[in-house]
Short mmCIF file of all heavy atoms in Angstrom, two decimals:
data_model
loop_
_atom_site.label_atom_id
_atom_site.label_comp_id
_atom_site.label_asym_id
_atom_site.label_seq_id
_atom_site.Cartn_x
_atom_site.Cartn_y
_atom_site.Cartn_z
N MET A 18 143.94 -53.09 -57.21
CA MET A 18 144.42 -53.58 -55.91
C MET A 18 144.76 -55.05 -56.01
O MET A 18 144.11 -55.80 -56.73
CB MET A 18 143.33 -53.38 -54.86
CG MET A 18 143.89 -52.99 -53.52
SD MET A 18 142.63 -52.30 -52.47
CE MET A 18 141.93 -53.74 -51.75
N GLY A 19 145.79 -55.46 -55.32
CA GLY A 19 146.22 -56.86 -55.35
C GLY A 19 145.21 -57.79 -54.71
O GLY A 19 144.65 -57.47 -53.66
N VAL A 20 144.95 -58.90 -55.37
CA VAL A 20 144.00 -59.88 -54.85
C VAL A 20 144.75 -61.17 -54.55
O VAL A 20 145.54 -61.62 -55.39
CB VAL A 20 142.86 -60.13 -55.87
CG1 VAL A 20 141.92 -61.22 -55.40
CG2 VAL A 20 142.10 -58.85 -56.14
N PRO A 21 144.56 -61.79 -53.37
CA PRO A 21 145.27 -63.03 -53.07
C PRO A 21 144.94 -64.12 -54.08
O PRO A 21 143.78 -64.31 -54.44
CB PRO A 21 144.76 -63.40 -51.68
CG PRO A 21 144.20 -62.16 -51.12
CD PRO A 21 143.73 -61.34 -52.26
N LYS A 22 146.00 -64.82 -54.54
CA LYS A 22 145.83 -65.84 -55.57
C LYS A 22 145.10 -67.06 -55.03
O LYS A 22 144.31 -67.68 -55.74
CB LYS A 22 147.21 -66.25 -56.07
CG LYS A 22 147.22 -66.87 -57.44
CD LYS A 22 148.64 -66.90 -57.98
CE LYS A 22 148.63 -67.21 -59.45
NZ LYS A 22 149.99 -67.16 -60.02
N ARG A 23 145.41 -67.41 -53.78
CA ARG A 23 144.81 -68.61 -53.20
C ARG A 23 144.15 -68.31 -51.87
O ARG A 23 144.55 -67.39 -51.17
CB ARG A 23 145.91 -69.66 -52.96
CG ARG A 23 146.42 -70.26 -54.24
CD ARG A 23 147.36 -71.40 -53.94
NE ARG A 23 147.95 -71.87 -55.19
CZ ARG A 23 147.33 -72.69 -56.03
NH1 ARG A 23 146.14 -73.16 -55.76
NH2 ARG A 23 147.92 -73.08 -57.15
N LYS A 24 143.19 -69.15 -51.54
CA LYS A 24 142.57 -69.07 -50.23
C LYS A 24 143.59 -69.51 -49.18
O LYS A 24 144.31 -70.48 -49.39
CB LYS A 24 141.37 -70.01 -50.21
CG LYS A 24 140.62 -70.05 -48.89
CD LYS A 24 139.49 -71.05 -48.98
CE LYS A 24 138.82 -71.21 -47.63
NZ LYS A 24 137.67 -72.12 -47.73
N LYS A 25 143.66 -68.78 -48.06
CA LYS A 25 144.57 -69.16 -46.98
C LYS A 25 144.04 -70.46 -46.35
O LYS A 25 142.83 -70.55 -46.07
CB LYS A 25 144.61 -68.05 -45.92
CG LYS A 25 145.66 -66.98 -46.16
CD LYS A 25 146.98 -67.37 -45.56
CE LYS A 25 148.06 -66.31 -45.60
NZ LYS A 25 148.24 -65.50 -46.74
N SER A 26 144.92 -71.42 -46.14
CA SER A 26 144.51 -72.69 -45.55
C SER A 26 144.09 -72.49 -44.09
O SER A 26 144.44 -71.48 -43.47
CB SER A 26 145.65 -73.69 -45.63
OG SER A 26 146.70 -73.29 -44.76
N LYS A 27 143.32 -73.45 -43.57
CA LYS A 27 142.88 -73.39 -42.17
C LYS A 27 144.08 -73.25 -41.25
O LYS A 27 144.06 -72.50 -40.28
CB LYS A 27 142.11 -74.66 -41.80
CG LYS A 27 140.71 -74.69 -42.34
CD LYS A 27 140.08 -76.04 -42.03
CE LYS A 27 138.74 -76.17 -42.74
NZ LYS A 27 138.18 -77.52 -42.59
N SER A 28 145.13 -74.02 -41.59
CA SER A 28 146.36 -74.00 -40.78
C SER A 28 146.97 -72.61 -40.74
O SER A 28 147.30 -72.09 -39.68
CB SER A 28 147.33 -75.02 -41.36
OG SER A 28 148.64 -74.73 -40.97
N LYS A 29 147.09 -71.99 -41.93
CA LYS A 29 147.70 -70.65 -42.01
C LYS A 29 146.84 -69.63 -41.29
O LYS A 29 147.36 -68.73 -40.61
CB LYS A 29 147.86 -70.25 -43.49
CG LYS A 29 149.05 -70.90 -44.17
CD LYS A 29 150.35 -70.27 -43.69
CE LYS A 29 151.54 -71.08 -44.19
NZ LYS A 29 152.79 -70.72 -43.50
N LYS A 30 145.54 -69.77 -41.43
CA LYS A 30 144.62 -68.85 -40.76
C LYS A 30 144.79 -68.95 -39.24
O LYS A 30 144.88 -67.94 -38.54
CB LYS A 30 143.18 -69.17 -41.16
CG LYS A 30 142.17 -68.11 -40.72
CD LYS A 30 140.83 -68.32 -41.37
CE LYS A 30 139.97 -69.27 -40.57
NZ LYS A 30 138.65 -69.46 -41.19
N ARG A 31 144.83 -70.19 -38.74
CA ARG A 31 144.98 -70.41 -37.29
C ARG A 31 146.32 -69.87 -36.79
O ARG A 31 146.39 -69.31 -35.71
CB ARG A 31 144.85 -71.90 -36.98
CG ARG A 31 143.41 -72.35 -37.05
CD ARG A 31 143.32 -73.85 -37.02
NE ARG A 31 141.96 -74.27 -37.34
CZ ARG A 31 141.64 -75.48 -37.77
NH1 ARG A 31 142.57 -76.40 -37.97
NH2 ARG A 31 140.41 -75.79 -38.02
N MET A 32 147.37 -70.08 -37.61
CA MET A 32 148.70 -69.58 -37.21
C MET A 32 148.66 -68.07 -37.03
O MET A 32 149.22 -67.53 -36.07
CB MET A 32 149.73 -69.92 -38.30
CG MET A 32 150.36 -71.27 -38.16
SD MET A 32 151.74 -71.37 -39.30
CE MET A 32 151.38 -72.92 -40.08
N ARG A 33 147.97 -67.38 -37.96
CA ARG A 33 147.88 -65.92 -37.90
C ARG A 33 147.13 -65.50 -36.63
O ARG A 33 147.59 -64.63 -35.89
CB ARG A 33 147.17 -65.40 -39.15
CG ARG A 33 147.18 -63.87 -39.27
CD ARG A 33 146.42 -63.43 -40.50
NE ARG A 33 145.02 -63.78 -40.41
CZ ARG A 33 144.33 -64.35 -41.39
NH1 ARG A 33 144.90 -64.68 -42.52
NH2 ARG A 33 143.05 -64.61 -41.22
N ILE A 34 145.98 -66.14 -36.39
CA ILE A 34 145.15 -65.80 -35.23
C ILE A 34 145.93 -66.02 -33.94
O ILE A 34 145.95 -65.17 -33.06
CB ILE A 34 143.84 -66.62 -35.26
CG1 ILE A 34 142.94 -66.11 -36.38
CG2 ILE A 34 143.12 -66.53 -33.91
CD1 ILE A 34 141.84 -67.06 -36.78
N HIS A 35 146.62 -67.16 -33.87
CA HIS A 35 147.32 -67.50 -32.63
C HIS A 35 148.55 -66.64 -32.40
O HIS A 35 148.97 -66.47 -31.26
CB HIS A 35 147.62 -68.99 -32.57
CG HIS A 35 146.37 -69.77 -32.30
ND1 HIS A 35 146.04 -70.19 -31.03
CD2 HIS A 35 145.34 -70.12 -33.10
CE1 HIS A 35 144.85 -70.78 -31.10
NE2 HIS A 35 144.41 -70.76 -32.34
N SER A 36 149.10 -66.08 -33.47
CA SER A 36 150.23 -65.18 -33.28
C SER A 36 149.75 -63.92 -32.57
O SER A 36 150.45 -63.35 -31.74
CB SER A 36 150.88 -64.82 -34.61
OG SER A 36 150.09 -63.92 -35.33
N HIS A 37 148.52 -63.48 -32.89
CA HIS A 37 147.96 -62.31 -32.21
C HIS A 37 147.67 -62.63 -30.75
O HIS A 37 147.91 -61.83 -29.88
CB HIS A 37 146.66 -61.86 -32.90
CG HIS A 37 146.89 -61.18 -34.21
ND1 HIS A 37 147.61 -60.01 -34.31
CD2 HIS A 37 146.53 -61.51 -35.47
CE1 HIS A 37 147.66 -59.65 -35.58
NE2 HIS A 37 147.02 -60.55 -36.31
N LYS A 38 147.11 -63.84 -30.55
CA LYS A 38 146.76 -64.28 -29.21
C LYS A 38 148.00 -64.29 -28.31
O LYS A 38 147.95 -63.89 -27.17
CB LYS A 38 146.14 -65.67 -29.29
CG LYS A 38 145.36 -66.06 -28.07
CD LYS A 38 144.72 -67.42 -28.29
CE LYS A 38 143.98 -67.88 -27.07
NZ LYS A 38 143.45 -69.25 -27.28
N LYS A 39 149.10 -64.73 -28.89
CA LYS A 39 150.36 -64.82 -28.16
C LYS A 39 150.80 -63.43 -27.70
O LYS A 39 151.27 -63.27 -26.58
CB LYS A 39 151.42 -65.43 -29.08
CG LYS A 39 152.41 -66.31 -28.37
CD LYS A 39 153.30 -66.99 -29.41
CE LYS A 39 153.96 -68.21 -28.84
NZ LYS A 39 154.77 -68.89 -29.87
N ALA A 40 150.63 -62.46 -28.57
CA ALA A 40 151.05 -61.09 -28.25
C ALA A 40 150.23 -60.55 -27.08
O ALA A 40 150.75 -59.83 -26.23
CB ALA A 40 150.88 -60.19 -29.47
N ILE A 41 148.94 -60.92 -27.04
CA ILE A 41 148.07 -60.46 -25.95
C ILE A 41 148.51 -61.09 -24.63
O ILE A 41 148.55 -60.43 -23.61
CB ILE A 41 146.59 -60.79 -26.27
CG1 ILE A 41 146.11 -59.91 -27.41
CG2 ILE A 41 145.70 -60.59 -25.04
CD1 ILE A 41 144.86 -60.40 -28.11
N LEU A 42 148.88 -62.37 -24.70
CA LEU A 42 149.24 -63.08 -23.49
C LEU A 42 150.65 -62.77 -23.01
O LEU A 42 151.02 -63.18 -21.91
CB LEU A 42 149.09 -64.59 -23.70
CG LEU A 42 147.65 -65.10 -23.86
CD1 LEU A 42 147.67 -66.54 -24.31
CD2 LEU A 42 146.86 -64.95 -22.58
N ALA A 43 151.45 -62.08 -23.83
CA ALA A 43 152.83 -61.79 -23.44
C ALA A 43 152.83 -60.88 -22.22
O ALA A 43 152.44 -59.72 -22.29
CB ALA A 43 153.56 -61.13 -24.59
N SER A 44 153.21 -61.42 -21.08
CA SER A 44 153.18 -60.62 -19.87
C SER A 44 154.40 -60.93 -19.00
O SER A 44 154.99 -61.99 -19.10
CB SER A 44 151.90 -60.90 -19.09
OG SER A 44 151.82 -62.26 -18.77
N ARG A 45 154.70 -59.99 -18.13
CA ARG A 45 155.81 -60.16 -17.19
C ARG A 45 155.25 -59.93 -15.79
O ARG A 45 154.27 -59.22 -15.64
CB ARG A 45 156.90 -59.11 -17.47
CG ARG A 45 157.38 -59.06 -18.89
CD ARG A 45 158.29 -57.87 -19.10
NE ARG A 45 157.61 -56.61 -18.80
CZ ARG A 45 158.20 -55.54 -18.30
NH1 ARG A 45 159.49 -55.58 -18.07
NH2 ARG A 45 157.53 -54.44 -18.05
N PRO A 46 155.89 -60.49 -14.77
CA PRO A 46 155.40 -60.21 -13.42
C PRO A 46 155.66 -58.76 -13.04
O PRO A 46 156.69 -58.19 -13.38
CB PRO A 46 156.19 -61.18 -12.54
CG PRO A 46 157.38 -61.56 -13.33
CD PRO A 46 157.00 -61.46 -14.78
N CYS A 47 154.71 -58.19 -12.33
CA CYS A 47 154.84 -56.81 -11.86
C CYS A 47 155.96 -56.73 -10.83
O CYS A 47 156.03 -57.57 -9.95
CB CYS A 47 153.51 -56.38 -11.25
SG CYS A 47 153.59 -54.81 -10.40
N PRO A 48 156.86 -55.74 -10.93
CA PRO A 48 157.94 -55.62 -9.94
C PRO A 48 157.43 -55.30 -8.54
O PRO A 48 158.12 -55.55 -7.55
CB PRO A 48 158.81 -54.49 -10.50
CG PRO A 48 157.93 -53.73 -11.42
CD PRO A 48 156.93 -54.72 -11.97
N LYS A 49 156.25 -54.73 -8.46
CA LYS A 49 155.71 -54.32 -7.15
C LYS A 49 154.91 -55.44 -6.48
O LYS A 49 155.15 -55.78 -5.33
CB LYS A 49 154.83 -53.09 -7.32
CG LYS A 49 154.45 -52.46 -5.99
CD LYS A 49 154.57 -50.95 -6.04
CE LYS A 49 154.41 -50.37 -4.66
NZ LYS A 49 154.76 -48.96 -4.60
N CYS A 50 153.92 -56.03 -7.22
CA CYS A 50 153.05 -57.01 -6.59
C CYS A 50 153.23 -58.42 -7.14
O CYS A 50 152.70 -59.36 -6.57
CB CYS A 50 151.60 -56.57 -6.72
SG CYS A 50 150.99 -56.51 -8.40
N GLY A 51 154.00 -58.57 -8.24
CA GLY A 51 154.27 -59.89 -8.77
C GLY A 51 153.17 -60.47 -9.65
O GLY A 51 153.33 -61.54 -10.22
N ALA A 52 152.06 -59.77 -9.79
CA ALA A 52 150.96 -60.24 -10.63
C ALA A 52 151.34 -60.07 -12.10
O ALA A 52 152.07 -59.15 -12.45
CB ALA A 52 149.71 -59.42 -10.33
N PRO A 53 150.88 -60.97 -12.98
CA PRO A 53 151.22 -60.83 -14.40
C PRO A 53 150.62 -59.55 -14.97
O PRO A 53 149.44 -59.27 -14.78
CB PRO A 53 150.62 -62.07 -15.05
CG PRO A 53 149.62 -62.59 -14.08
CD PRO A 53 150.08 -62.17 -12.73
N GLN A 54 151.44 -58.78 -15.65
CA GLN A 54 150.97 -57.55 -16.25
C GLN A 54 151.51 -57.45 -17.67
O GLN A 54 152.55 -58.02 -17.98
CB GLN A 54 151.44 -56.34 -15.42
CG GLN A 54 152.94 -56.27 -15.30
CD GLN A 54 153.44 -54.90 -14.92
OE1 GLN A 54 154.47 -54.76 -14.32
NE2 GLN A 54 152.71 -53.87 -15.30
N LEU A 55 150.83 -56.74 -18.51
CA LEU A 55 151.28 -56.53 -19.88
C LEU A 55 152.38 -55.48 -19.87
O LEU A 55 152.31 -54.51 -19.12
CB LEU A 55 150.12 -56.05 -20.76
CG LEU A 55 148.95 -57.02 -20.93
CD1 LEU A 55 147.80 -56.32 -21.62
CD2 LEU A 55 149.36 -58.25 -21.71
N SER A 56 153.39 -55.70 -20.71
CA SER A 56 154.49 -54.73 -20.77
C SER A 56 153.98 -53.43 -21.38
O SER A 56 153.11 -53.43 -22.25
CB SER A 56 155.65 -55.29 -21.58
OG SER A 56 155.20 -55.80 -22.80
N HIS A 57 154.53 -52.33 -20.95
CA HIS A 57 154.16 -50.97 -21.37
C HIS A 57 152.73 -50.62 -21.00
O HIS A 57 152.10 -49.79 -21.64
CB HIS A 57 154.40 -50.76 -22.88
CG HIS A 57 155.81 -51.11 -23.29
ND1 HIS A 57 156.08 -52.17 -24.13
CD2 HIS A 57 156.99 -50.58 -22.93
CE1 HIS A 57 157.41 -52.25 -24.28
NE2 HIS A 57 157.98 -51.30 -23.57
N ARG A 58 152.21 -51.31 -19.96
CA ARG A 58 150.86 -51.01 -19.48
C ARG A 58 150.92 -50.83 -17.96
O ARG A 58 151.78 -51.40 -17.30
CB ARG A 58 149.88 -52.15 -19.79
CG ARG A 58 149.71 -52.50 -21.24
CD ARG A 58 148.97 -51.41 -22.01
NE ARG A 58 148.63 -51.87 -23.34
CZ ARG A 58 149.49 -51.93 -24.36
NH1 ARG A 58 150.74 -51.57 -24.18
NH2 ARG A 58 149.11 -52.35 -25.54
N VAL A 59 149.97 -50.07 -17.44
CA VAL A 59 149.86 -49.91 -16.00
C VAL A 59 149.39 -51.24 -15.39
O VAL A 59 148.53 -51.90 -15.95
CB VAL A 59 148.86 -48.77 -15.67
CG1 VAL A 59 148.62 -48.66 -14.18
CG2 VAL A 59 149.35 -47.45 -16.23
N CYS A 60 149.98 -51.61 -14.27
CA CYS A 60 149.59 -52.85 -13.61
C CYS A 60 148.14 -52.75 -13.12
O CYS A 60 147.81 -51.81 -12.41
CB CYS A 60 150.53 -53.12 -12.44
SG CYS A 60 150.05 -54.55 -11.46
N PRO A 61 147.29 -53.70 -13.51
CA PRO A 61 145.88 -53.60 -13.08
C PRO A 61 145.68 -53.92 -11.61
O PRO A 61 144.65 -53.57 -11.03
CB PRO A 61 145.18 -54.63 -13.97
CG PRO A 61 146.24 -55.60 -14.37
CD PRO A 61 147.54 -54.85 -14.37
N LYS A 62 146.63 -54.60 -11.00
CA LYS A 62 146.49 -55.01 -9.59
C LYS A 62 146.82 -53.88 -8.63
O LYS A 62 146.06 -53.60 -7.71
CB LYS A 62 147.39 -56.21 -9.31
CG LYS A 62 146.79 -57.52 -9.77
CD LYS A 62 145.99 -58.16 -8.67
CE LYS A 62 145.29 -59.39 -9.22
NZ LYS A 62 144.53 -60.14 -8.30
N CYS A 63 147.99 -53.27 -8.81
CA CYS A 63 148.42 -52.25 -7.85
C CYS A 63 148.44 -50.85 -8.46
O CYS A 63 148.64 -49.88 -7.74
CB CYS A 63 149.79 -52.61 -7.28
SG CYS A 63 151.11 -52.74 -8.49
N GLY A 64 148.22 -50.74 -9.78
CA GLY A 64 148.12 -49.43 -10.40
C GLY A 64 149.42 -48.66 -10.51
O GLY A 64 149.42 -47.44 -10.49
N THR A 65 150.53 -49.39 -10.64
CA THR A 65 151.80 -48.69 -10.77
C THR A 65 152.37 -48.89 -12.18
O THR A 65 152.09 -49.88 -12.84
CB THR A 65 152.84 -49.20 -9.76
OG1 THR A 65 152.98 -50.61 -9.90
CG2 THR A 65 152.44 -48.87 -8.34
N TYR A 66 153.15 -47.94 -12.60
CA TYR A 66 153.87 -48.06 -13.86
C TYR A 66 155.27 -47.50 -13.67
O TYR A 66 155.42 -46.34 -13.27
CB TYR A 66 153.14 -47.33 -14.98
CG TYR A 66 153.82 -47.47 -16.31
CD1 TYR A 66 153.87 -48.72 -16.95
CD2 TYR A 66 154.46 -46.40 -16.90
CE1 TYR A 66 154.52 -48.87 -18.15
CE2 TYR A 66 155.11 -46.54 -18.11
CZ TYR A 66 155.14 -47.78 -18.74
OH TYR A 66 155.79 -47.94 -19.93
N ARG A 67 156.28 -48.32 -13.90
CA ARG A 67 157.70 -47.97 -13.71
C ARG A 67 157.94 -47.41 -12.30
O ARG A 67 158.57 -46.35 -12.14
CB ARG A 67 158.16 -46.99 -14.79
CG ARG A 67 158.20 -47.64 -16.16
CD ARG A 67 158.65 -46.68 -17.23
NE ARG A 67 160.05 -46.29 -17.07
CZ ARG A 67 160.66 -45.37 -17.82
NH1 ARG A 67 160.01 -44.75 -18.78
NH2 ARG A 67 161.91 -45.06 -17.63
N GLY A 68 157.38 -48.09 -11.31
CA GLY A 68 157.61 -47.71 -9.92
C GLY A 68 156.84 -46.51 -9.45
O GLY A 68 157.03 -46.05 -8.33
N ARG A 69 155.97 -45.99 -10.31
CA ARG A 69 155.20 -44.80 -9.97
C ARG A 69 153.74 -45.20 -9.80
O ARG A 69 153.20 -45.97 -10.60
CB ARG A 69 155.32 -43.77 -11.09
CG ARG A 69 155.63 -42.38 -10.62
CD ARG A 69 156.23 -41.52 -11.74
NE ARG A 69 155.68 -41.78 -13.07
CZ ARG A 69 154.57 -41.17 -13.51
NH1 ARG A 69 153.90 -40.32 -12.78
NH2 ARG A 69 154.14 -41.42 -14.73
N GLN A 70 153.05 -44.63 -8.79
CA GLN A 70 151.62 -44.89 -8.62
C GLN A 70 150.85 -44.03 -9.62
O GLN A 70 150.97 -42.81 -9.61
CB GLN A 70 151.20 -44.56 -7.18
CG GLN A 70 149.80 -45.04 -6.82
CD GLN A 70 149.77 -46.53 -6.51
OE1 GLN A 70 150.71 -47.06 -5.96
NE2 GLN A 70 148.70 -47.19 -6.89
N VAL A 71 150.12 -44.67 -10.51
CA VAL A 71 149.37 -43.90 -11.51
C VAL A 71 147.88 -44.03 -11.33
O VAL A 71 147.12 -43.13 -11.70
CB VAL A 71 149.76 -44.29 -12.95
CG1 VAL A 71 150.42 -43.13 -13.65
CG2 VAL A 71 150.65 -45.50 -13.03
N LEU A 72 147.44 -45.17 -10.79
CA LEU A 72 146.01 -45.38 -10.59
C LEU A 72 145.74 -45.57 -9.11
O LEU A 72 146.58 -46.14 -8.40
CB LEU A 72 145.53 -46.64 -11.33
CG LEU A 72 145.47 -46.61 -12.86
CD1 LEU A 72 145.06 -47.96 -13.37
CD2 LEU A 72 144.49 -45.56 -13.34
N ILE A 73 144.61 -45.10 -8.66
CA ILE A 73 144.21 -45.34 -7.29
C ILE A 73 143.27 -46.55 -7.27
O ILE A 73 142.18 -46.49 -7.83
CB ILE A 73 143.56 -44.10 -6.63
CG1 ILE A 73 144.60 -42.97 -6.48
CG2 ILE A 73 142.96 -44.43 -5.27
CD1 ILE A 73 144.40 -41.82 -7.42
N ILE A 74 143.76 -47.65 -6.71
CA ILE A 74 143.00 -48.88 -6.64
C ILE A 74 142.44 -49.00 -5.22
O ILE A 74 143.22 -48.89 -4.26
CB ILE A 74 143.88 -50.11 -6.98
CG1 ILE A 74 144.65 -49.88 -8.28
CG2 ILE A 74 143.06 -51.39 -6.97
CD1 ILE A 74 144.07 -50.42 -9.55
N SER A 75 141.15 -49.19 -5.11
CA SER A 75 140.54 -49.33 -3.77
C SER A 75 141.02 -50.58 -3.09
O SER A 75 141.08 -51.65 -3.69
CB SER A 75 139.01 -49.32 -3.89
OG SER A 75 138.59 -50.32 -4.78
N ALA A 76 141.39 -50.46 -1.81
CA ALA A 76 142.01 -51.57 -1.08
C ALA A 76 140.99 -52.56 -0.54
O ALA A 76 141.36 -53.68 -0.18
CB ALA A 76 142.85 -51.01 0.06
N ASP A 77 139.71 -52.20 -0.48
CA ASP A 77 138.73 -53.12 0.08
C ASP A 77 138.34 -54.20 -0.92
O ASP A 77 137.45 -54.00 -1.73
CB ASP A 77 137.50 -52.37 0.63
CG ASP A 77 137.01 -51.27 -0.30
OD1 ASP A 77 137.24 -51.40 -1.53
OD2 ASP A 77 136.43 -50.29 0.18
N GLU A 78 139.03 -55.32 -0.83
CA GLU A 78 138.76 -56.46 -1.72
C GLU A 78 138.55 -57.72 -0.92
O GLU A 78 139.23 -57.91 0.07
CB GLU A 78 139.90 -56.65 -2.71
CG GLU A 78 139.80 -55.69 -3.89
CD GLU A 78 140.92 -55.93 -4.92
OE1 GLU A 78 141.05 -57.05 -5.40
OE2 GLU A 78 141.66 -54.98 -5.21
ZN1 LIG B 15 151.40 -54.59 -9.63
#
């Protein structure tokens, strides 16, 4: 199996970690309620996905 020739520098390690973090934070406003939601995920605020109600969210908040 291939073994890395050199230790990854702190900078390179951080770059890799933060690239993942960026992907998690990538969000768009929900078309229904405007809250930030992850793309290709059901909106956690109103429970809709592509204009369809998929989750029943209790209104008493
Ligand atoms: Zn929503």
Side-chain angles (χ1 to χ4, degrees):
M18 217 163 85
V20 175
K22 202 165 193 177
R23 288 187 186 280
K24 179 182 174 177
K25 271 272 187 319
S26 69
K27 284 175 188 173
S28 159
K29 282 286 170 194
K30 190 168 87 179
R31 285 168 190 160
M32 273 190 229
R33 187 182 65 226
I34 289 163
H35 286 262
S36 75
H37 286 298
K38 198 176 177 184
K39 215 173 200 177
I41 290 162
L42 291 170
S44 59
R45 307 171 301 147
C47 171
K49 190 137 189 169
C50 65
Q54 59 160 152
L55 297 171
S56 49
H57 307 114
R58 300 290 189 281
V59 175
C60 175
K62 280 269 174 178
C63 61
T65 55
Y66 182 68
R67 292 180 67 186
R69 227 159 37 86
Q70 191 79 35
V71 245
L72 289 177
I73 293 108
I74 310 265
S75 55
D77 43 28
E78 279 183 56

